[in-house]
Amino acid sequence: MRTMTKTIGALGLAAALVLTSFTGVSAAKKEKKSQPDTTVTVEALKAKATCTAAGKINVSFSTAVEWSEDASALLIDEQQNEIPVQIAKKANRSVVVKGSGMTKGKAYTLSISGLKAKGTAEYGTVTAEFKAKKLKCKVKAKKIAKKVTVKAKNTIIVKCKGKVQTKDVTVQVTDSNNQVYEAKMTGKSKGNIKIKVSGLKKGQKYTVTVTGIKTKKEANYASISTTFVTKK
């Protein structure tokens, strides 16, 4: 009888040990499962950005992401100047950012903060580089009148495809030595913008940049920049 009691007691102890061991393994698995997967960190998250002529930046990510409530975007050019932008639409693998003031063909760096790879612990910042899409425009140099010399006063006509729309326009004209000339828009007609410039010289190459312009094909106002040569 004592032998049977000892046997039953031993079996009960063994069962208890097995149950404790199983419970411990299950708890460990549950704890491990609840922890975030940090195999893809924010630093390893890759982003690809493309820009449209309307000033819309489409960004796609290498893996699914999660967003914080205070997610934001920052856009800077090659001279570290900040360009106003804002996040328009967020998705689990992409984001749309809208802005204005980008110059055709120039390189920009976009930084997006407040996101993380799905399942990871910490939010961070991802960056992507791109070039602004070119707007097809051409420039013609033209005198204001025959009585005005080229050195004193002249006008340039910026001709774009389609009817031009403007908002808070600014104009800058520079020469090959980056000297800035006083310039302002004096009128517009259909696809033409008339700009008055002071101090231009004959036979010289200049660059004109107009900010706050678009045609019907673009959704947002942007910048165009192109070169022209005055007549000798």
Side-chain angles (χ1 to χ4, degrees), residues 109-127:
T109 300
L110 176 67
S111 299
I112 303 174
S113 302
L115 78 166
K116 64 179 181 179
K118 189 174 183 180
T120 57
E122 298 182 359
Y123 291 93
T125 301
V126 175
T127 61

Side-chain angles (χ1 to χ4, degrees), residues 34-49:
S34 63
Q35 292 179 350
D37 179 12
T38 57
T39 55
V40 181
T41 62
V42 174
E43 290 77 12
L45 186 61
K46 294 181 180 180
K48 181 180 179 181

Side-chain angles (χ1 to χ4, degrees), residues 99-171:
S100 60
M102 288 179 285
T103 303
K104 66 172 186 175
K106 286 192 174 182
Y108 295 89
T109 300
L110 176 67
S111 299
I112 303 174
S113 302
L115 78 166
K116 64 179 181 179
K118 189 174 183 180
T120 57
E122 298 182 359
Y123 291 93
T125 301
V126 175
T127 61
E129 297 180 352
F130 67 93
K131 282 190 176 182
K133 189 173 182 180
K134 294 183 178 181
L135 297 176
K136 296 181 179 180
C137 296
K138 59 182 179 179
V139 173
K140 292 182 179 180
K142 185 178 180 181
K143 295 179 181 179
I144 291 178
K146 291 181 180 180
K147 293 181 180 181
V148 180
T149 62
V150 177
K151 280 188 176 181
K153 296 178 182 179
N154 72 308
T155 293
I156 58 174
I157 305 293
V158 179
K159 188 173 183 179
C160 298
K161 288 187 175 181
K163 187 177 180 180
V164 175
Q165 299 177 28
T166 58
K167 181 179 180 182
D168 300 327
V169 173
T170 59
V171 181

Side-chain angles (χ1 to χ4, degrees), residues 156 172-176 205-209 225-228:
I156 58 174
Q172 185 181 62
V173 176
T174 58
D175 59 18
S176 56
K205 185 177 181 180
Y206 298 92
T207 299
V208 57
T209 301
S225 182
T226 189
T227 59
F228 65 97

Side-chain angles (χ1 to χ4, degrees), residues 197-217:
V197 189
S198 300
L200 297 186
K201 299 178 181 180
K202 295 180 179 180
Q204 298 295 316
K205 185 177 181 180
Y206 298 92
T207 299
V208 57
T209 301
V210 184
T211 302
I213 181 175
K214 72 172 186 175
T215 65
K216 289 183 178 180
K217 294 181 179 180

Side-chain angles (χ1 to χ4, degrees), residues 64-81:
V65 299
E66 295 178 352
W67 298 91
S68 65
E69 294 182 358
D70 57 349
S72 61
L74 173 68
L75 183 66
I76 57 175
D77 61 17
E78 293 175 305
Q79 287 72 43
Q80 301 302 306
N81 298 314

